[in-house]
Amino acid sequence: MALRVGVIGGGQLARMMIAPAVELGLELRVLAEEEGMAAGLAATAVGDYRDLDTVRAFAADVDVLTFDHEHVPQEVLRALVAEGIAVHPGPDALQFAQDKLVMRARLAELGVPQPEWAPVRSADELQRFLDEHDGAAVVKTPRGGYDGKGVRVVRSGVEAQDWLDALEGSDALLAEELVPFVRELAQQVARRPGGEMISYPVVETVQRDGVCAEVIAPAPAATERLAEVAEDIGRRIAEGLGVTGMLAVELFETDDERILVNELAMRPHNSGHWSQDGAVTGQFEQHLRAVADLPLGDTRPRAAWAVMVNILGGPVEGTLGDRFEAAMAAHPDAKIHTYGKAPRPGRKVGHVNVAGDDLDDAVYVARAAAAAFV
Ligand code: ADP
């Protein structure tokens, strides 16, 4: 019987696991939050991933559980593991992608380079951190942030008062030095339960308004040293945290050539979408291989350059349908991926991948094809 992989969460990441699962001969099942989601095609259940009974019932029919997002509560995950269900990544690893304070503390133990940081519980504590860091800091809510929500640059202790007021019990906010980075990078590593690992080339990511806009693989002008340092960081984290499946490490590169870890994702990640069409093994296939404990695939690029441009919903709501056809006609050399989501303004509704020998050409075509949608 085919191995059954259950994905919790019905977003675009689960959606993009569907085709590789079919090719690998795996049976993919999805627990979607609601009807009609991006991964609806493979949804065998609709329900609340925070409810143990719902997740347990879904898990009863699969051989391994994995995720479209990192929001399944620790209690639910630990109960499933205690019942003998294979969960990848497991709760011990996933906690470091669920809580940025927990992550910072563990990366410090591992000796991984990262921005200076501190937990802060009051405006006074934040002000003290600011005084020690040239008067500027990035304050983050440790849990639940995404696409720049829950991240704020502050220059005075009171600028995070609303978040401080909302803290409960022993909770704290994360304060970080404002890193003067020259660019952002991402390093991906896949790891099997037994410890076998393979890494992807380090890529450059470009964010606009806190949202990933473009990715270039490999990172332009990446020296051998940079590539090695990034790979080493990725491998140390994957191993040190016991990650299974795909790990993405978001990085800052500073003008004095330091590489610092921003944050982690333990699932396929926007910074790895390029690999669907630009590498021998795409990240969605690789994630499935890793969580199903199958041999990992080659990560070599298929071309000198691969460029990914996100398609964000424009100011006009509606469907992508007719624009999709126009974009396909105008750019037959672009690989267009759509998520089946209503294009609300700013929402990620698809992406375009272009691979080729000339970086400028690839960037031009990918941007033009993505722009044809808005
Ligand atoms: P999210 O979880 O919402 O993706 P991140 O922690 O990745 O939040 O932060 C979003 C963006 O904010 C980053 O991509 C980066 O551009 C900027 N940022 C985050 N932390 C820092 C920092 N310490 N210094 C400078 N910029 C930062």
Side-chain angles (χ1 to χ4, degrees), residues 1-7 17 20-21 24-28 62-67 86-89 190-196 243-246 283-296:
M1 197 172 74
L3 205 67
R4 298 159 305 174
V5 178
V7 185
M17 292 181 209
L24 291 170
L26 301 172
E27 214 177 280
L28 195 80
V62 304
D63 299 298
V64 56
L65 271 185
T66 190
F67 310 96
V87 178
H88 292 298
R191 185 170 177 274
R192 285 174 77 175
E196 183 197 335
V243 178
T244 41
M246 286 297 303
Q283 63 163 349
F284 298 96
E285 174 179 344
Q286 195 77 285
H287 185 71
L288 290 170
R289 287 180 181 235
V291 302
D293 203 11
L294 296 168
L296 300 177

Short mmCIF file of all heavy atoms in Angstrom, two decimals, residues 1-7 17 20-21 24-28 62-67 86-89 190-196 243-246 283-296:
data_model
loop_
_atom_site.label_atom_id
_atom_site.label_comp_id
_atom_site.label_asym_id
_atom_site.label_seq_id
_atom_site.Cartn_x
_atom_site.Cartn_y
_atom_site.Cartn_z
N MET A 1 0.84 -1.21 0.00
CA MET A 1 0.00 0.00 0.00
C MET A 1 0.88 1.25 0.00
O MET A 1 1.93 1.27 0.62
CB MET A 1 -0.90 -0.01 1.25
CG MET A 1 -2.05 0.94 1.14
SD MET A 1 -3.24 0.77 2.51
CE MET A 1 -2.36 1.51 3.87
N ALA A 2 0.43 2.25 -0.71
CA ALA A 2 1.21 3.50 -0.77
C ALA A 2 1.32 4.12 0.61
O ALA A 2 0.38 4.06 1.41
CB ALA A 2 0.54 4.48 -1.73
N LEU A 3 2.47 4.70 0.87
CA LEU A 3 2.68 5.44 2.12
C LEU A 3 1.75 6.66 2.14
O LEU A 3 1.66 7.38 1.15
CB LEU A 3 4.13 5.89 2.16
CG LEU A 3 4.77 6.15 3.52
CD1 LEU A 3 4.90 4.84 4.31
CD2 LEU A 3 6.14 6.77 3.32
N ARG A 4 1.08 6.87 3.25
CA ARG A 4 0.13 8.00 3.33
C ARG A 4 0.72 9.14 4.15
O ARG A 4 1.07 8.95 5.31
CB ARG A 4 -1.18 7.51 3.96
CG ARG A 4 -1.87 6.41 3.15
CD ARG A 4 -2.83 5.63 4.02
NE ARG A 4 -2.16 5.10 5.20
CZ ARG A 4 -2.76 4.47 6.21
NH1 ARG A 4 -4.07 4.29 6.18
NH2 ARG A 4 -2.08 4.03 7.24
N VAL A 5 0.84 10.29 3.51
CA VAL A 5 1.37 11.47 4.19
C VAL A 5 0.21 12.43 4.46
O VAL A 5 -0.53 12.79 3.53
CB VAL A 5 2.44 12.19 3.34
CG1 VAL A 5 2.93 13.47 4.04
CG2 VAL A 5 3.61 11.26 3.04
N GLY A 6 0.04 12.83 5.69
CA GLY A 6 -1.02 13.78 6.05
C GLY A 6 -0.42 15.15 6.27
O GLY A 6 0.55 15.29 7.01
N VAL A 7 -0.98 16.16 5.62
CA VAL A 7 -0.49 17.52 5.79
C VAL A 7 -1.53 18.31 6.58
O VAL A 7 -2.70 18.35 6.20
CB VAL A 7 -0.25 18.22 4.43
CG1 VAL A 7 0.38 19.60 4.65
CG2 VAL A 7 0.62 17.37 3.53
N MET A 17 2.54 20.38 -2.67
CA MET A 17 3.02 19.02 -2.40
C MET A 17 2.22 17.98 -3.19
O MET A 17 2.63 16.83 -3.29
CB MET A 17 2.90 18.70 -0.90
CG MET A 17 3.84 19.50 0.00
SD MET A 17 3.61 19.00 1.73
CE MET A 17 4.03 20.52 2.59
N PRO A 20 4.07 16.53 -6.61
CA PRO A 20 5.19 15.64 -6.29
C PRO A 20 4.76 14.37 -5.56
O PRO A 20 5.35 13.31 -5.77
CB PRO A 20 6.10 16.49 -5.40
CG PRO A 20 5.64 17.88 -5.50
CD PRO A 20 4.28 17.89 -6.11
N ALA A 21 3.73 14.46 -4.72
CA ALA A 21 3.26 13.25 -4.01
C ALA A 21 2.77 12.22 -5.02
O ALA A 21 3.09 11.03 -4.92
CB ALA A 21 2.15 13.61 -3.04
N LEU A 24 5.75 10.65 -6.68
CA LEU A 24 6.51 9.76 -5.79
C LEU A 24 5.70 8.52 -5.41
O LEU A 24 6.22 7.63 -4.73
CB LEU A 24 6.92 10.49 -4.51
CG LEU A 24 7.98 11.59 -4.64
CD1 LEU A 24 8.09 12.36 -3.33
CD2 LEU A 24 9.34 11.00 -5.00
N GLY A 25 4.44 8.46 -5.81
CA GLY A 25 3.61 7.32 -5.44
C GLY A 25 3.15 7.37 -3.99
O GLY A 25 2.84 6.34 -3.40
N LEU A 26 3.12 8.55 -3.43
CA LEU A 26 2.63 8.72 -2.05
C LEU A 26 1.16 9.11 -2.10
O LEU A 26 0.71 9.75 -3.06
CB LEU A 26 3.41 9.82 -1.33
CG LEU A 26 4.91 9.63 -1.21
CD1 LEU A 26 5.56 10.90 -0.64
CD2 LEU A 26 5.24 8.43 -0.32
N GLU A 27 0.44 8.77 -1.07
CA GLU A 27 -0.93 9.21 -0.97
C GLU A 27 -0.96 10.45 -0.07
O GLU A 27 -0.52 10.37 1.07
CB GLU A 27 -1.77 8.10 -0.34
CG GLU A 27 -3.17 8.03 -0.89
CD GLU A 27 -3.90 6.87 -0.26
OE1 GLU A 27 -3.68 5.72 -0.69
OE2 GLU A 27 -4.66 7.15 0.69
N LEU A 28 -1.41 11.57 -0.59
CA LEU A 28 -1.39 12.80 0.20
C LEU A 28 -2.79 13.12 0.71
O LEU A 28 -3.75 13.10 -0.04
CB LEU A 28 -0.88 13.96 -0.66
CG LEU A 28 -0.48 15.19 0.13
CD1 LEU A 28 0.91 14.99 0.73
CD2 LEU A 28 -0.46 16.44 -0.75
N VAL A 62 -3.23 8.09 8.37
CA VAL A 62 -1.98 8.40 7.66
C VAL A 62 -0.80 7.72 8.35
O VAL A 62 -0.90 7.30 9.50
CB VAL A 62 -1.73 9.93 7.58
CG1 VAL A 62 -2.90 10.64 6.91
CG2 VAL A 62 -1.44 10.52 8.94
N ASP A 63 0.30 7.61 7.62
CA ASP A 63 1.51 7.00 8.18
C ASP A 63 2.43 8.04 8.79
O ASP A 63 3.20 7.74 9.69
CB ASP A 63 2.26 6.23 7.09
CG ASP A 63 1.41 5.12 6.52
OD1 ASP A 63 1.04 4.21 7.30
OD2 ASP A 63 1.07 5.16 5.32
N VAL A 64 2.39 9.26 8.26
CA VAL A 64 3.22 10.33 8.81
C VAL A 64 2.49 11.65 8.65
O VAL A 64 1.79 11.87 7.66
CB VAL A 64 4.62 10.36 8.13
CG1 VAL A 64 4.51 10.48 6.62
CG2 VAL A 64 5.48 11.50 8.68
N LEU A 65 2.65 12.49 9.65
CA LEU A 65 2.03 13.82 9.63
C LEU A 65 3.08 14.88 9.38
O LEU A 65 4.18 14.84 9.95
CB LEU A 65 1.42 14.15 10.99
CG LEU A 65 -0.01 13.75 11.32
CD1 LEU A 65 -0.37 14.31 12.69
CD2 LEU A 65 -1.00 14.25 10.28
N THR A 66 2.75 15.85 8.54
CA THR A 66 3.62 17.02 8.39
C THR A 66 2.75 18.26 8.25
O THR A 66 1.54 18.19 8.46
CB THR A 66 4.63 16.83 7.24
OG1 THR A 66 5.58 17.89 7.30
CG2 THR A 66 3.94 16.85 5.87
N PHE A 67 3.35 19.40 7.86
CA PHE A 67 2.65 20.67 8.03
C PHE A 67 2.77 21.62 6.84
O PHE A 67 3.77 21.65 6.15
CB PHE A 67 3.19 21.42 9.25
CG PHE A 67 3.25 20.57 10.48
CD1 PHE A 67 4.42 19.92 10.84
CD2 PHE A 67 2.11 20.39 11.23
CE1 PHE A 67 4.46 19.11 11.96
CE2 PHE A 67 2.14 19.58 12.35
CZ PHE A 67 3.32 18.94 12.71
N ALA A 86 3.80 9.22 13.84
CA ALA A 86 5.02 9.84 13.32
C ALA A 86 4.70 11.27 12.90
O ALA A 86 3.82 11.49 12.05
CB ALA A 86 5.55 9.05 12.13
N VAL A 87 5.38 12.24 13.50
CA VAL A 87 5.16 13.66 13.21
C VAL A 87 6.49 14.27 12.79
O VAL A 87 7.47 14.21 13.54
CB VAL A 87 4.62 14.40 14.46
CG1 VAL A 87 4.43 15.88 14.16
CG2 VAL A 87 3.31 13.78 14.95
N HIS A 88 6.55 14.82 11.56
CA HIS A 88 7.80 15.42 11.08
C HIS A 88 7.56 16.79 10.47
O HIS A 88 6.79 16.88 9.54
CB HIS A 88 8.46 14.51 10.05
CG HIS A 88 8.96 13.24 10.65
ND1 HIS A 88 9.93 13.22 11.62
CD2 HIS A 88 8.61 11.95 10.43
CE1 HIS A 88 10.16 11.96 11.97
NE2 HIS A 88 9.37 11.17 11.28
N PRO A 89 8.21 17.85 10.94
CA PRO A 89 9.11 17.84 12.09
C PRO A 89 8.35 17.61 13.39
O PRO A 89 7.18 17.99 13.50
CB PRO A 89 9.72 19.25 12.05
CG PRO A 89 8.68 20.09 11.39
CD PRO A 89 8.04 19.20 10.36
N ALA A 190 17.50 19.89 3.75
CA ALA A 190 16.52 18.82 4.00
C ALA A 190 17.18 17.78 4.89
O ALA A 190 18.37 17.47 4.71
CB ALA A 190 16.08 18.18 2.69
N ARG A 191 16.42 17.25 5.85
CA ARG A 191 17.00 16.24 6.75
C ARG A 191 16.01 15.10 6.98
O ARG A 191 14.83 15.34 7.27
CB ARG A 191 17.38 16.90 8.08
CG ARG A 191 18.11 15.97 9.04
CD ARG A 191 18.68 16.75 10.22
NE ARG A 191 19.32 15.88 11.18
CZ ARG A 191 18.70 15.23 12.18
NH1 ARG A 191 17.40 15.38 12.34
NH2 ARG A 191 19.36 14.44 12.99
N ARG A 192 16.51 13.88 6.85
CA ARG A 192 15.69 12.69 7.12
C ARG A 192 15.73 12.36 8.61
O ARG A 192 16.65 12.76 9.31
CB ARG A 192 16.24 11.49 6.36
CG ARG A 192 15.94 11.53 4.90
CD ARG A 192 16.65 10.39 4.19
NE ARG A 192 15.97 9.10 4.39
CZ ARG A 192 16.35 7.97 3.78
NH1 ARG A 192 17.41 7.97 2.97
NH2 ARG A 192 15.70 6.85 3.98
N PRO A 193 14.76 11.58 9.07
CA PRO A 193 14.74 11.22 10.49
C PRO A 193 16.05 10.59 10.97
O PRO A 193 16.47 10.80 12.11
CB PRO A 193 13.58 10.22 10.58
CG PRO A 193 12.66 10.63 9.46
CD PRO A 193 13.56 11.09 8.35
N GLY A 194 16.72 9.84 10.10
CA GLY A 194 17.98 9.20 10.52
C GLY A 194 19.17 10.15 10.54
O GLY A 194 20.25 9.78 10.99
N GLY A 195 19.00 11.37 10.05
CA GLY A 195 20.07 12.35 10.12
C GLY A 195 20.71 12.70 8.78
O GLY A 195 21.49 13.65 8.69
N GLU A 196 20.37 11.94 7.71
CA GLU A 196 20.94 12.26 6.39
C GLU A 196 20.46 13.66 5.97
O GLU A 196 19.29 13.99 6.12
CB GLU A 196 20.46 11.23 5.36
CG GLU A 196 21.05 11.44 3.97
CD GLU A 196 20.26 10.66 2.89
OE1 GLU A 196 19.61 9.65 3.23
OE2 GLU A 196 20.29 11.11 1.74
N VAL A 243 15.77 18.80 13.17
CA VAL A 243 14.73 19.08 12.18
C VAL A 243 14.56 17.88 11.26
O VAL A 243 15.54 17.24 10.87
CB VAL A 243 15.12 20.31 11.33
CG1 VAL A 243 14.07 20.59 10.25
CG2 VAL A 243 15.32 21.53 12.22
N THR A 244 13.31 17.55 10.91
CA THR A 244 13.06 16.57 9.86
C THR A 244 12.18 17.23 8.81
O THR A 244 11.26 17.97 9.14
CB THR A 244 12.37 15.30 10.42
OG1 THR A 244 11.39 15.70 11.38
CG2 THR A 244 13.38 14.40 11.10
N GLY A 245 12.50 16.97 7.54
CA GLY A 245 11.83 17.66 6.44
C GLY A 245 12.67 18.83 6.01
O GLY A 245 13.88 18.87 6.24
N MET A 246 12.01 19.81 5.38
CA MET A 246 12.74 20.99 4.90
C MET A 246 12.91 22.01 6.01
O MET A 246 11.98 22.30 6.75
CB MET A 246 11.97 21.66 3.75
CG MET A 246 12.00 20.95 2.41
SD MET A 246 13.63 20.80 1.66
CE MET A 246 14.16 22.49 1.58
N GLN A 283 11.72 21.74 -3.63
CA GLN A 283 11.59 21.64 -2.17
C GLN A 283 10.34 20.89 -1.72
O GLN A 283 10.34 20.28 -0.64
CB GLN A 283 11.59 23.02 -1.54
CG GLN A 283 10.42 23.91 -1.94
CD GLN A 283 10.24 25.10 -1.01
OE1 GLN A 283 10.84 25.18 0.05
NE2 GLN A 283 9.40 26.05 -1.41
N PHE A 284 9.28 20.90 -2.52
CA PHE A 284 8.05 20.20 -2.10
C PHE A 284 8.26 18.68 -2.18
O PHE A 284 7.89 17.94 -1.28
CB PHE A 284 6.86 20.67 -2.93
CG PHE A 284 6.60 22.14 -2.75
CD1 PHE A 284 7.10 23.07 -3.66
CD2 PHE A 284 5.92 22.61 -1.65
CE1 PHE A 284 6.91 24.43 -3.47
CE2 PHE A 284 5.72 23.97 -1.44
CZ PHE A 284 6.21 24.88 -2.36
N GLU A 285 8.88 18.25 -3.29
CA GLU A 285 9.23 16.84 -3.40
C GLU A 285 10.22 16.45 -2.30
O GLU A 285 10.07 15.41 -1.66
CB GLU A 285 9.86 16.56 -4.77
CG GLU A 285 10.36 15.14 -4.88
CD GLU A 285 10.96 14.79 -6.22
OE1 GLU A 285 10.75 15.53 -7.20
OE2 GLU A 285 11.65 13.75 -6.28
N GLN A 286 11.20 17.31 -2.06
CA GLN A 286 12.23 16.99 -1.07
C GLN A 286 11.64 16.87 0.33
O GLN A 286 12.02 15.99 1.11
CB GLN A 286 13.29 18.10 -1.09
CG GLN A 286 14.57 17.76 -0.42
CD GLN A 286 15.44 16.85 -1.29
OE1 GLN A 286 15.19 15.67 -1.44
NE2 GLN A 286 16.48 17.42 -1.87
N HIS A 287 10.70 17.77 0.64
CA HIS A 287 10.06 17.72 1.96
C HIS A 287 9.34 16.38 2.13
O HIS A 287 9.46 15.74 3.18
CB HIS A 287 9.08 18.88 2.11
CG HIS A 287 8.48 18.98 3.48
ND1 HIS A 287 9.19 19.37 4.58
CD2 HIS A 287 7.22 18.68 3.94
CE1 HIS A 287 8.41 19.33 5.66
NE2 HIS A 287 7.21 18.91 5.29
N LEU A 288 8.61 15.96 1.09
CA LEU A 288 7.90 14.69 1.17
C LEU A 288 8.87 13.53 1.32
O LEU A 288 8.66 12.61 2.12
CB LEU A 288 7.03 14.50 -0.08
CG LEU A 288 5.83 15.42 -0.17
CD1 LEU A 288 5.19 15.34 -1.55
CD2 LEU A 288 4.80 15.08 0.91
N ARG A 289 9.95 13.56 0.54
CA ARG A 289 10.95 12.49 0.66
C ARG A 289 11.48 12.42 2.09
O ARG A 289 11.62 11.35 2.67
CB ARG A 289 12.13 12.76 -0.28
CG ARG A 289 11.84 12.52 -1.75
CD ARG A 289 13.11 12.85 -2.51
NE ARG A 289 12.99 12.70 -3.94
CZ ARG A 289 13.80 11.94 -4.68
NH1 ARG A 289 14.77 11.24 -4.12
NH2 ARG A 289 13.65 11.88 -5.99
N ALA A 290 11.80 13.59 2.64
CA ALA A 290 12.43 13.62 3.96
C ALA A 290 11.46 13.16 5.05
O ALA A 290 11.82 12.34 5.89
CB ALA A 290 12.94 15.03 4.27
N VAL A 291 10.21 13.64 5.03
CA VAL A 291 9.28 13.27 6.11
C VAL A 291 8.82 11.82 5.96
O VAL A 291 8.47 11.17 6.95
CB VAL A 291 8.07 14.23 6.24
CG1 VAL A 291 8.54 15.65 6.48
CG2 VAL A 291 7.15 14.14 5.04
N ALA A 292 8.82 11.31 4.72
CA ALA A 292 8.44 9.91 4.51
C ALA A 292 9.65 8.99 4.66
O ALA A 292 9.54 7.79 4.43
CB ALA A 292 7.80 9.75 3.13
N ASP A 293 10.78 9.56 5.02
CA ASP A 293 12.04 8.82 5.20
C ASP A 293 12.43 8.04 3.94
O ASP A 293 12.79 6.87 4.00
CB ASP A 293 11.94 7.87 6.42
CG ASP A 293 13.33 7.54 6.96
OD1 ASP A 293 14.31 8.19 6.54
OD2 ASP A 293 13.44 6.61 7.79
N LEU A 294 12.36 8.73 2.82
CA LEU A 294 12.81 8.18 1.54
C LEU A 294 14.14 8.84 1.17
O LEU A 294 14.44 9.94 1.67
CB LEU A 294 11.77 8.49 0.45
CG LEU A 294 10.40 7.84 0.65
CD1 LEU A 294 9.38 8.43 -0.31
CD2 LEU A 294 10.50 6.32 0.49
N PRO A 295 14.94 8.20 0.31
CA PRO A 295 16.21 8.81 -0.08
C PRO A 295 16.01 10.23 -0.62
O PRO A 295 15.05 10.49 -1.35
CB PRO A 295 16.74 7.88 -1.17
CG PRO A 295 16.09 6.57 -0.87
CD PRO A 295 14.72 6.90 -0.33
N LEU A 296 16.90 11.13 -0.26
CA LEU A 296 16.78 12.53 -0.68
C LEU A 296 17.21 12.69 -2.13
O LEU A 296 18.01 11.90 -2.65
CB LEU A 296 17.63 13.42 0.23
CG LEU A 296 17.23 13.37 1.71
CD1 LEU A 296 18.18 14.22 2.56
CD2 LEU A 296 15.78 13.82 1.91
#
